[in-house]
Amino acid sequence: MTHSAHRRTAAAAALALAGLLTAAVPAATAAAAPAAAPAAAPSAATSPAALAAPDIPLANVKAHLSELQSIATANGGNRAHGRPGYKASIDHVKAKLDAAGFTTTVQQFTSSGATGYNLIADWPGGDANQVLMAGAHLDSVGSGPGINDNGSGSAGVLETALAVSRAQLQPAKHLRFAWWGAEELGLVGSKYYVNNLPAADRSKISGYLNFDMIGSPNPGYFVYDDDPTIEQTFKDYYAGLGVATEIETEGDGRSDHASFKNVGIPVGGLFTGASRTKSSAQAQKWGGTAGQAFDRCYHSSCDTTANINDTAIDRNSDAIAHAIWTLSAGTTVPGDVYETTADVAVPDNGAAVTSSVTVSGRSGNAPTTLRVGVDIKHTWRGDLVVDLLAPDGTSYRLKNSSSNDSADNVVATYTVNASSESANGTWKLRVQDVASQDTGYIDSWRLTF
Ligand code: DTR
Ligand code: ZN
Ligand code: ZN
Ligand code: CA
Protein backbone atom coordinates (compact mmCIF):
# COMPACT_ATOMS: atom_id res chain seq x y z
CA MET A 1 0.00 0.00 0.00
CA THR A 2 1.68 3.23 -1.04
CA HIS A 3 1.14 6.36 0.94
CA SER A 4 0.83 9.82 -0.48
CA ALA A 5 2.30 12.63 1.56
CA HIS A 6 -1.13 13.23 3.03
CA ARG A 7 -2.13 9.66 3.50
CA ARG A 8 -2.27 8.55 7.10
CA THR A 9 -3.00 4.89 7.35
CA ALA A 10 -4.78 4.22 10.55
CA ALA A 11 -4.39 0.50 10.18
CA ALA A 12 -1.98 0.35 13.10
CA ALA A 13 -4.22 2.58 15.16
CA ALA A 14 -7.22 0.51 14.20
CA LEU A 15 -5.50 -2.70 15.17
CA ALA A 16 -4.48 -1.14 18.45
CA LEU A 17 -8.12 -0.28 19.00
CA ALA A 18 -9.39 -3.56 17.68
CA GLY A 19 -9.57 -5.11 21.10
CA LEU A 20 -11.81 -2.29 22.25
CA LEU A 21 -13.95 -1.86 19.21
CA THR A 22 -14.46 -4.34 16.47
CA ALA A 23 -12.00 -7.13 16.15
CA ALA A 24 -10.33 -6.83 12.76
CA VAL A 25 -10.57 -10.42 11.71
CA PRO A 26 -9.47 -12.09 8.48
CA ALA A 27 -12.34 -12.17 6.01
CA ALA A 28 -12.33 -15.96 6.05
CA THR A 29 -13.92 -16.16 9.47
CA ALA A 30 -17.11 -14.67 10.74
CA ALA A 31 -16.87 -11.56 12.81
CA ALA A 32 -15.94 -12.63 16.30
CA ALA A 33 -16.46 -9.10 17.46
CA PRO A 34 -18.40 -8.11 20.50
CA ALA A 35 -19.56 -5.47 18.05
CA ALA A 36 -19.28 -1.95 19.40
CA ALA A 37 -22.18 -1.10 17.18
CA PRO A 38 -25.75 -1.18 18.50
CA ALA A 39 -27.55 -4.49 18.05
CA ALA A 40 -30.47 -2.92 16.25
CA ALA A 41 -30.20 -1.89 12.65
CA PRO A 42 -29.28 1.79 12.44
CA SER A 43 -32.31 3.97 12.49
CA ALA A 44 -32.48 6.12 9.41
CA ALA A 45 -34.63 8.53 11.32
CA THR A 46 -31.76 9.51 13.54
CA SER A 47 -29.35 9.93 10.72
CA PRO A 48 -29.06 13.42 9.29
CA ALA A 49 -29.18 13.25 5.54
CA ALA A 50 -25.72 12.30 4.50
CA LEU A 51 -26.31 11.12 0.98
CA ALA A 52 -25.03 14.03 -0.96
CA ALA A 53 -27.68 14.88 -3.52
CA PRO A 54 -30.82 16.66 -2.35
CA ASP A 55 -34.27 15.72 -3.50
CA ILE A 56 -35.20 17.78 -6.57
CA PRO A 57 -38.68 19.18 -5.91
CA LEU A 58 -41.16 17.93 -8.53
CA ALA A 59 -43.18 21.13 -8.12
CA ASN A 60 -40.18 23.22 -9.17
CA VAL A 61 -39.55 21.09 -12.25
CA LYS A 62 -43.21 21.30 -13.25
CA ALA A 63 -43.18 25.05 -12.75
CA HIS A 64 -40.39 25.28 -15.34
CA LEU A 65 -42.50 23.16 -17.71
CA SER A 66 -45.48 25.48 -17.23
CA GLU A 67 -43.29 28.46 -18.02
CA LEU A 68 -42.01 26.81 -21.20
CA GLN A 69 -45.61 25.99 -22.14
CA SER A 70 -46.59 29.64 -21.64
CA ILE A 71 -43.68 30.74 -23.80
CA ALA A 72 -44.78 28.42 -26.60
CA THR A 73 -48.39 29.54 -26.31
CA ALA A 74 -47.32 33.16 -26.54
CA ASN A 75 -45.13 32.49 -29.57
CA GLY A 76 -47.14 30.64 -32.17
CA GLY A 77 -47.38 27.36 -30.26
CA ASN A 78 -43.76 26.24 -30.45
CA ARG A 79 -40.20 26.85 -29.25
CA ALA A 80 -38.47 25.78 -32.44
CA HIS A 81 -35.08 26.84 -33.78
CA GLY A 82 -35.27 30.20 -35.54
CA ARG A 83 -38.67 31.01 -34.03
CA PRO A 84 -39.31 33.60 -31.29
CA GLY A 85 -40.36 30.91 -28.82
CA TYR A 86 -36.87 29.43 -28.78
CA LYS A 87 -35.03 32.66 -28.02
CA ALA A 88 -37.64 33.42 -25.34
CA SER A 89 -36.89 30.02 -23.79
CA ILE A 90 -33.15 30.76 -23.76
CA ASP A 91 -33.71 34.16 -22.15
CA HIS A 92 -36.00 32.63 -19.52
CA VAL A 93 -33.57 29.91 -18.47
CA LYS A 94 -30.60 32.29 -18.56
CA ALA A 95 -32.29 34.74 -16.20
CA LYS A 96 -32.84 32.04 -13.57
CA LEU A 97 -29.22 30.91 -13.77
CA ASP A 98 -27.84 34.44 -13.61
CA ALA A 99 -29.93 35.05 -10.50
CA ALA A 100 -28.55 31.85 -8.96
CA GLY A 101 -24.90 32.86 -9.35
CA PHE A 102 -23.91 30.99 -12.49
CA THR A 103 -21.57 32.45 -15.10
CA THR A 104 -23.66 32.20 -18.27
CA THR A 105 -22.69 32.47 -21.91
CA VAL A 106 -25.01 32.53 -24.93
CA GLN A 107 -23.27 31.04 -27.95
CA GLN A 108 -24.76 32.00 -31.33
CA PHE A 109 -24.65 29.96 -34.53
CA THR A 110 -26.52 29.88 -37.82
CA SER A 111 -28.49 26.94 -39.13
CA SER A 112 -30.98 26.77 -42.00
CA GLY A 113 -30.66 30.51 -42.44
CA ALA A 114 -31.69 31.30 -38.88
CA THR A 115 -29.73 32.27 -35.77
CA GLY A 116 -29.48 29.57 -33.14
CA TYR A 117 -28.40 29.81 -29.52
CA ASN A 118 -26.67 27.57 -26.99
CA LEU A 119 -26.79 28.55 -23.31
CA ILE A 120 -23.75 27.53 -21.24
CA ALA A 121 -23.78 27.97 -17.46
CA ASP A 122 -20.62 27.48 -15.39
CA TRP A 123 -20.80 27.03 -11.63
CA PRO A 124 -17.79 28.91 -10.22
CA GLY A 125 -15.13 26.76 -8.57
CA GLY A 126 -13.91 23.21 -8.86
CA ASP A 127 -10.94 21.89 -10.78
CA ALA A 128 -10.93 23.55 -14.19
CA ASN A 129 -9.07 20.54 -15.51
CA GLN A 130 -11.93 18.21 -14.58
CA VAL A 131 -15.19 19.51 -16.00
CA LEU A 132 -18.41 17.56 -15.52
CA MET A 133 -21.15 18.62 -17.95
CA ALA A 134 -24.88 18.01 -18.04
CA GLY A 135 -27.11 19.18 -20.87
CA ALA A 136 -30.43 19.07 -22.67
CA HIS A 137 -31.71 20.49 -25.91
CA LEU A 138 -34.11 23.36 -25.34
CA ASP A 139 -35.63 23.56 -28.83
CA SER A 140 -38.90 21.94 -29.85
CA VAL A 141 -40.08 20.86 -33.25
CA GLY A 142 -42.20 23.37 -35.15
CA SER A 143 -45.42 21.41 -34.64
CA GLY A 144 -45.75 21.87 -30.90
CA PRO A 145 -44.50 23.24 -27.56
CA GLY A 146 -42.06 20.35 -26.97
CA ILE A 147 -42.76 19.91 -23.26
CA ASN A 148 -41.57 16.32 -23.01
CA ASP A 149 -39.26 16.73 -25.99
CA ASN A 150 -37.41 18.40 -24.51
CA GLY A 151 -38.79 20.68 -21.89
CA SER A 152 -38.51 17.69 -19.54
CA GLY A 153 -34.73 17.34 -19.90
CA SER A 154 -34.25 21.11 -19.89
CA ALA A 155 -36.27 21.52 -16.70
CA GLY A 156 -34.58 18.61 -14.93
CA VAL A 157 -31.13 19.98 -15.70
CA LEU A 158 -32.19 23.53 -14.78
CA GLU A 159 -33.60 22.52 -11.40
CA THR A 160 -30.50 20.47 -10.63
CA ALA A 161 -28.33 23.48 -11.41
CA LEU A 162 -30.50 25.61 -9.12
CA ALA A 163 -30.13 22.93 -6.42
CA VAL A 164 -26.33 23.19 -6.77
CA SER A 165 -26.70 26.91 -6.12
CA ARG A 166 -29.05 26.44 -3.16
CA ALA A 167 -26.57 23.98 -1.66
CA GLN A 168 -23.62 26.23 -2.52
CA LEU A 169 -22.02 22.96 -3.57
CA GLN A 170 -18.22 22.98 -3.77
CA PRO A 171 -17.45 19.83 -5.70
CA ALA A 172 -13.97 18.70 -6.64
CA LYS A 173 -14.79 18.99 -10.31
CA HIS A 174 -15.94 22.08 -12.18
CA LEU A 175 -19.65 21.92 -13.12
CA ARG A 176 -20.96 23.15 -16.46
CA PHE A 177 -24.59 22.96 -17.58
CA ALA A 178 -25.82 23.47 -21.15
CA TRP A 179 -29.03 23.96 -23.09
CA TRP A 180 -28.65 23.24 -26.78
CA GLY A 181 -30.27 24.85 -29.82
CA ALA A 182 -31.37 23.16 -33.04
CA GLU A 183 -31.08 19.58 -31.81
CA GLU A 184 -34.16 18.75 -33.87
CA LEU A 185 -32.34 19.88 -37.01
CA GLY A 186 -29.58 17.34 -36.36
CA LEU A 187 -27.75 18.04 -33.11
CA VAL A 188 -26.66 21.33 -34.65
CA GLY A 189 -26.11 23.35 -31.45
CA SER A 190 -24.17 20.70 -29.53
CA LYS A 191 -22.05 19.92 -32.58
CA TYR A 192 -21.29 23.63 -32.94
CA TYR A 193 -20.24 23.79 -29.29
CA VAL A 194 -17.94 20.77 -29.47
CA ASN A 195 -16.47 21.74 -32.83
CA ASN A 196 -15.61 25.19 -31.54
CA LEU A 197 -14.14 23.93 -28.29
CA PRO A 198 -10.32 23.87 -28.46
CA ALA A 199 -8.94 20.36 -28.16
CA ALA A 200 -7.25 21.28 -24.89
CA ASP A 201 -10.63 22.22 -23.43
CA ARG A 202 -12.33 19.10 -24.77
CA SER A 203 -9.79 16.96 -22.93
CA LYS A 204 -10.78 18.60 -19.66
CA ILE A 205 -14.37 17.35 -19.91
CA SER A 206 -14.49 14.24 -17.75
CA GLY A 207 -18.04 13.41 -18.80
CA TYR A 208 -21.17 14.71 -20.52
CA LEU A 209 -24.61 13.69 -19.21
CA ASN A 210 -27.52 14.05 -21.66
CA PHE A 211 -31.21 14.30 -20.84
CA ASP A 212 -33.60 14.25 -23.80
CA MET A 213 -37.17 13.14 -23.03
CA ILE A 214 -37.19 12.15 -19.35
CA GLY A 215 -40.90 12.53 -18.57
CA SER A 216 -42.72 10.48 -21.22
CA PRO A 217 -46.39 9.85 -20.37
CA ASN A 218 -46.09 6.06 -20.76
CA PRO A 219 -42.55 5.92 -19.45
CA GLY A 220 -39.76 3.43 -19.70
CA TYR A 221 -36.59 3.79 -17.64
CA PHE A 222 -33.68 3.62 -20.05
CA VAL A 223 -30.03 4.24 -19.23
CA TYR A 224 -27.52 5.01 -21.97
CA ASP A 225 -24.96 2.21 -22.27
CA ASP A 226 -21.95 4.32 -23.07
CA ASP A 227 -19.43 5.19 -20.35
CA PRO A 228 -19.62 2.37 -17.76
CA THR A 229 -19.01 4.57 -14.72
CA ILE A 230 -21.77 6.99 -15.71
CA GLU A 231 -24.07 4.10 -16.60
CA GLN A 232 -23.46 2.43 -13.23
CA THR A 233 -24.10 5.68 -11.39
CA PHE A 234 -27.57 5.89 -12.88
CA LYS A 235 -28.20 2.16 -12.41
CA ASP A 236 -27.17 2.39 -8.75
CA TYR A 237 -29.60 5.22 -8.27
CA TYR A 238 -32.48 3.29 -9.74
CA ALA A 239 -31.48 0.15 -7.87
CA GLY A 240 -31.79 2.20 -4.70
CA LEU A 241 -35.38 2.98 -5.71
CA GLY A 242 -36.01 -0.66 -6.58
CA VAL A 243 -36.85 0.35 -10.15
CA ALA A 244 -35.55 -1.82 -12.97
CA THR A 245 -33.84 -0.10 -15.89
CA GLU A 246 -33.05 -1.14 -19.45
CA ILE A 247 -30.23 -0.19 -21.74
CA GLU A 248 -31.18 2.56 -24.16
CA THR A 249 -30.84 0.89 -27.56
CA GLU A 250 -32.01 3.49 -30.04
CA GLY A 251 -29.97 6.38 -28.70
CA ASP A 252 -26.70 6.21 -30.51
CA GLY A 253 -26.60 9.30 -32.65
CA ARG A 254 -30.12 10.26 -31.68
CA SER A 255 -29.36 13.12 -29.31
CA ASP A 256 -26.73 15.61 -28.18
CA HIS A 257 -24.55 13.11 -26.35
CA ALA A 258 -23.46 11.91 -29.80
CA SER A 259 -21.69 15.22 -30.41
CA PHE A 260 -19.52 14.57 -27.35
CA LYS A 261 -19.11 10.84 -27.88
CA ASN A 262 -17.86 11.51 -31.41
CA VAL A 263 -14.84 13.36 -30.01
CA GLY A 264 -14.09 10.75 -27.37
CA ILE A 265 -15.71 12.36 -24.32
CA PRO A 266 -17.35 9.87 -21.92
CA VAL A 267 -21.13 10.19 -22.11
CA GLY A 268 -24.24 8.89 -20.41
CA GLY A 269 -27.82 9.80 -19.86
CA LEU A 270 -31.43 8.84 -19.28
CA PHE A 271 -34.44 8.44 -21.55
CA THR A 272 -38.11 7.54 -21.01
CA GLY A 273 -38.96 6.68 -24.62
CA ALA A 274 -40.43 8.26 -27.73
CA SER A 275 -42.52 6.73 -30.50
CA ARG A 276 -41.55 3.10 -29.93
CA THR A 277 -44.19 0.88 -28.31
CA LYS A 278 -44.02 -0.37 -24.71
CA SER A 279 -44.00 -4.17 -24.60
CA SER A 280 -46.06 -6.32 -22.24
CA ALA A 281 -42.92 -7.26 -20.31
CA GLN A 282 -42.04 -3.59 -19.94
CA ALA A 283 -45.55 -2.73 -18.80
CA GLN A 284 -45.28 -5.57 -16.29
CA LYS A 285 -42.22 -4.05 -14.63
CA TRP A 286 -42.84 -0.36 -15.15
CA GLY A 287 -46.61 -0.05 -15.25
CA GLY A 288 -48.26 1.95 -17.98
CA THR A 289 -49.85 0.65 -21.15
CA ALA A 290 -48.46 -2.16 -23.26
CA GLY A 291 -48.88 -1.81 -26.98
CA GLN A 292 -48.86 1.99 -26.73
CA ALA A 293 -46.01 4.37 -27.52
CA PHE A 294 -43.89 5.62 -24.65
CA ASP A 295 -44.82 9.10 -25.90
CA ARG A 296 -47.69 9.15 -28.38
CA CYS A 297 -47.40 12.93 -28.68
CA TYR A 298 -43.79 12.71 -29.85
CA HIS A 299 -43.13 15.65 -32.21
CA SER A 300 -46.82 16.54 -32.13
CA SER A 301 -48.89 19.50 -31.07
CA CYS A 302 -50.13 17.51 -28.07
CA ASP A 303 -46.65 17.48 -26.50
CA THR A 304 -47.92 19.89 -23.84
CA THR A 305 -47.70 19.98 -20.04
CA ALA A 306 -50.42 17.29 -20.08
CA ASN A 307 -47.94 15.00 -21.83
CA ILE A 308 -45.76 14.39 -18.77
CA ASN A 309 -45.64 11.52 -16.27
CA ASP A 310 -44.90 13.10 -12.90
CA THR A 311 -43.28 10.00 -11.39
CA ALA A 312 -40.92 9.63 -14.31
CA ILE A 313 -39.76 13.24 -14.40
CA ASP A 314 -39.46 13.30 -10.60
CA ARG A 315 -37.32 10.17 -10.50
CA ASN A 316 -35.18 11.30 -13.41
CA SER A 317 -34.64 14.79 -12.00
CA ASP A 318 -33.47 13.19 -8.75
CA ALA A 319 -31.26 10.86 -10.77
CA ILE A 320 -29.64 13.86 -12.49
CA ALA A 321 -28.84 15.37 -9.10
CA HIS A 322 -27.49 12.05 -7.82
CA ALA A 323 -25.19 11.77 -10.81
CA ILE A 324 -23.98 15.36 -10.56
CA TRP A 325 -23.19 15.11 -6.87
CA THR A 326 -21.63 11.67 -7.20
CA LEU A 327 -19.58 12.17 -10.36
CA SER A 328 -18.37 15.66 -9.42
CA ALA A 329 -16.85 14.43 -6.16
CA GLY A 330 -13.72 13.77 -8.14
CA THR A 331 -11.16 11.09 -7.59
CA THR A 332 -7.81 12.77 -7.78
CA VAL A 333 -8.50 15.76 -5.63
CA PRO A 334 -5.71 16.07 -3.12
CA GLY A 335 -6.77 15.91 0.46
CA ASP A 336 -5.80 14.43 3.78
CA VAL A 337 -6.63 10.74 3.70
CA TYR A 338 -7.24 8.61 6.79
CA GLU A 339 -7.60 4.95 5.90
CA THR A 340 -7.83 1.48 7.31
CA THR A 341 -7.28 -1.69 5.32
CA ALA A 342 -8.10 -4.04 8.18
CA ASP A 343 -10.64 -6.62 7.02
CA VAL A 344 -13.77 -6.87 9.12
CA ALA A 345 -16.18 -9.75 8.48
CA VAL A 346 -19.87 -8.85 8.16
CA PRO A 347 -22.06 -11.59 9.64
CA ASP A 348 -24.79 -12.81 7.35
CA ASN A 349 -28.14 -11.32 8.35
CA GLY A 350 -26.64 -10.45 11.70
CA ALA A 351 -25.44 -7.71 14.00
CA ALA A 352 -23.82 -4.58 12.62
CA VAL A 353 -20.05 -4.43 12.71
CA THR A 354 -17.78 -1.39 12.71
CA SER A 355 -14.36 -0.49 11.43
CA SER A 356 -12.56 2.55 12.81
CA VAL A 357 -10.12 5.19 11.73
CA THR A 358 -8.67 7.74 14.11
CA VAL A 359 -8.27 11.32 12.97
CA SER A 360 -5.93 13.59 14.91
CA GLY A 361 -3.94 16.75 14.51
CA ARG A 362 -6.66 18.59 12.64
CA SER A 363 -8.33 21.78 13.80
CA GLY A 364 -12.01 22.60 13.82
CA ASN A 365 -14.81 20.67 12.22
CA ALA A 366 -14.99 18.29 9.31
CA PRO A 367 -15.89 19.77 5.89
CA THR A 368 -19.25 19.99 4.14
CA THR A 369 -17.82 17.66 1.51
CA LEU A 370 -16.22 14.95 3.64
CA ARG A 371 -15.55 12.08 1.26
CA VAL A 372 -16.10 8.55 2.52
CA GLY A 373 -14.60 5.95 0.22
CA VAL A 374 -15.72 2.39 0.95
CA ASP A 375 -14.67 -0.98 -0.44
CA ILE A 376 -16.90 -3.75 0.88
CA LYS A 377 -16.70 -7.19 -0.67
CA HIS A 378 -20.09 -8.89 -0.75
CA THR A 379 -21.97 -11.22 -3.06
CA TRP A 380 -25.33 -9.42 -2.84
CA ARG A 381 -24.81 -5.78 -1.97
CA GLY A 382 -28.53 -5.14 -1.63
CA ASP A 383 -28.28 -6.88 1.76
CA LEU A 384 -26.12 -4.11 3.16
CA VAL A 385 -26.89 -1.02 5.18
CA VAL A 386 -23.88 1.29 5.53
CA ASP A 387 -23.49 4.25 7.90
CA LEU A 388 -20.73 6.64 8.88
CA LEU A 389 -20.48 7.27 12.63
CA ALA A 390 -18.88 10.55 13.69
CA PRO A 391 -16.68 10.66 16.79
CA ASP A 392 -19.68 11.84 18.87
CA GLY A 393 -21.77 8.93 17.65
CA THR A 394 -23.92 10.81 15.14
CA SER A 395 -24.75 8.46 12.30
CA TYR A 396 -24.92 9.37 8.64
CA ARG A 397 -26.69 6.98 6.30
CA LEU A 398 -24.53 6.24 3.28
CA LYS A 399 -26.38 3.30 1.75
CA ASN A 400 -29.78 1.68 2.30
CA SER A 401 -30.52 -2.00 1.73
CA SER A 402 -32.31 -2.90 -1.48
CA SER A 403 -34.02 -6.22 -2.05
CA ASN A 404 -33.21 -6.46 -5.74
CA ASP A 405 -29.68 -5.12 -6.01
CA SER A 406 -27.93 -8.43 -6.46
CA ALA A 407 -24.70 -6.98 -7.78
CA ASP A 408 -21.43 -7.71 -5.99
CA ASN A 409 -19.51 -5.34 -3.75
CA VAL A 410 -20.00 -1.79 -2.59
CA VAL A 411 -17.19 0.28 -4.05
CA ALA A 412 -18.24 3.88 -3.86
CA THR A 413 -17.37 7.34 -2.61
CA TYR A 414 -20.03 9.17 -0.64
CA THR A 415 -19.92 12.89 0.10
CA VAL A 416 -21.15 13.77 3.57
CA ASN A 417 -21.84 17.19 5.01
CA ALA A 418 -20.03 16.62 8.29
CA SER A 419 -19.50 20.30 9.05
CA SER A 420 -21.22 19.96 12.42
CA GLU A 421 -18.75 17.30 13.56
CA SER A 422 -15.38 17.71 15.19
CA ALA A 423 -12.74 16.49 12.75
CA ASN A 424 -10.57 14.82 15.35
CA GLY A 425 -11.59 11.57 16.99
CA THR A 426 -12.51 8.02 16.08
CA TRP A 427 -14.75 7.76 13.06
CA LYS A 428 -16.43 4.45 12.31
CA LEU A 429 -17.92 2.75 9.30
CA ARG A 430 -20.90 0.66 10.41
CA VAL A 431 -22.08 -2.15 8.15
CA GLN A 432 -25.00 -4.50 8.68
CA ASP A 433 -26.15 -7.37 6.51
CA VAL A 434 -29.94 -7.47 6.87
CA ALA A 435 -30.83 -10.44 4.66
CA SER A 436 -29.77 -14.07 4.78
CA GLN A 437 -27.58 -16.11 2.44
CA ASP A 438 -24.97 -13.81 0.95
CA THR A 439 -22.27 -12.30 3.10
CA GLY A 440 -18.93 -10.52 2.92
CA TYR A 441 -16.47 -8.20 4.65
CA ILE A 442 -15.20 -4.65 4.87
CA ASP A 443 -12.02 -4.64 2.81
CA SER A 444 -10.99 -1.03 3.37
CA TRP A 445 -12.41 2.44 3.82
CA ARG A 446 -11.10 5.96 4.05
CA LEU A 447 -11.98 9.49 4.92
CA THR A 448 -10.71 12.35 2.77
CA PHE A 449 -10.79 15.82 4.32
N1 DTR B 1 -33.96 12.37 -31.19
C1 DTR B 1 -34.62 12.82 -29.99
C2 DTR B 1 -35.56 11.78 -29.41
C3 DTR B 1 -34.92 10.48 -29.27
C4 DTR B 1 -35.21 9.41 -30.02
N2 DTR B 1 -34.45 8.35 -29.56
C5 DTR B 1 -33.67 8.76 -28.55
C6 DTR B 1 -32.73 8.10 -27.77
C7 DTR B 1 -32.05 8.81 -26.79
C8 DTR B 1 -32.33 10.16 -26.60
C9 DTR B 1 -33.29 10.84 -27.40
C10 DTR B 1 -33.95 10.11 -28.35
C11 DTR B 1 -35.45 14.05 -30.29
O1 DTR B 1 -36.40 13.93 -31.04
O2 DTR B 1 -35.14 15.10 -29.71
ZN1 ZN C 1 -37.41 15.59 -30.83
ZN1 ZN D 1 -35.37 15.59 -27.95
CA1 CA E 1 -26.98 -11.54 3.47
Side-chain angles (χ1 to χ4, degrees), residues 149 184 298-299:
D149 183 21
E184 301 289 6
Y298 176 58
H299 285 187

Side-chain angles (χ1 to χ4, degrees), residues 346-350 378-380 382-384 433-440:
V346 179
D348 183 23
N349 196 18
H378 198 279
T379 50
W380 189 294
D383 288 1
L384 299 179
D433 180 327
V434 296
S436 59
Q437 291 173 35
D438 295 78
T439 186

Side-chain angles (χ1 to χ4, degrees), residues 342-357:
D343 290 355
V344 177
V346 179
D348 183 23
N349 196 18
V353 293
T354 60
S355 170
S356 303
V357 295

Side-chain angles (χ1 to χ4, degrees), residues 11 31 50 77 81 98 101 105 108 120 164 185 228 230 245 297 313 322 336 390 394-395 417 438 444:
H81 165 74
D98 288 338
T105 306
Q108 287 194 12
I120 312 297
V164 165
L185 280 71
I230 299 174
T245 57
C297 288
I313 199 168
H322 171 77
D336 285 348
T394 307
S395 69
N417 179 354
D438 295 78
S444 67

Side-chain angles (χ1 to χ4, degrees), residues 137 139-141 149-150 183-184 212-213 298-299:
H137 75 86
D139 64 307
S140 75
V141 291
D149 183 21
N150 183 39
E183 184 272 349
E184 301 289 6
D212 184 355
M213 302 179 73
Y298 176 58
H299 285 187

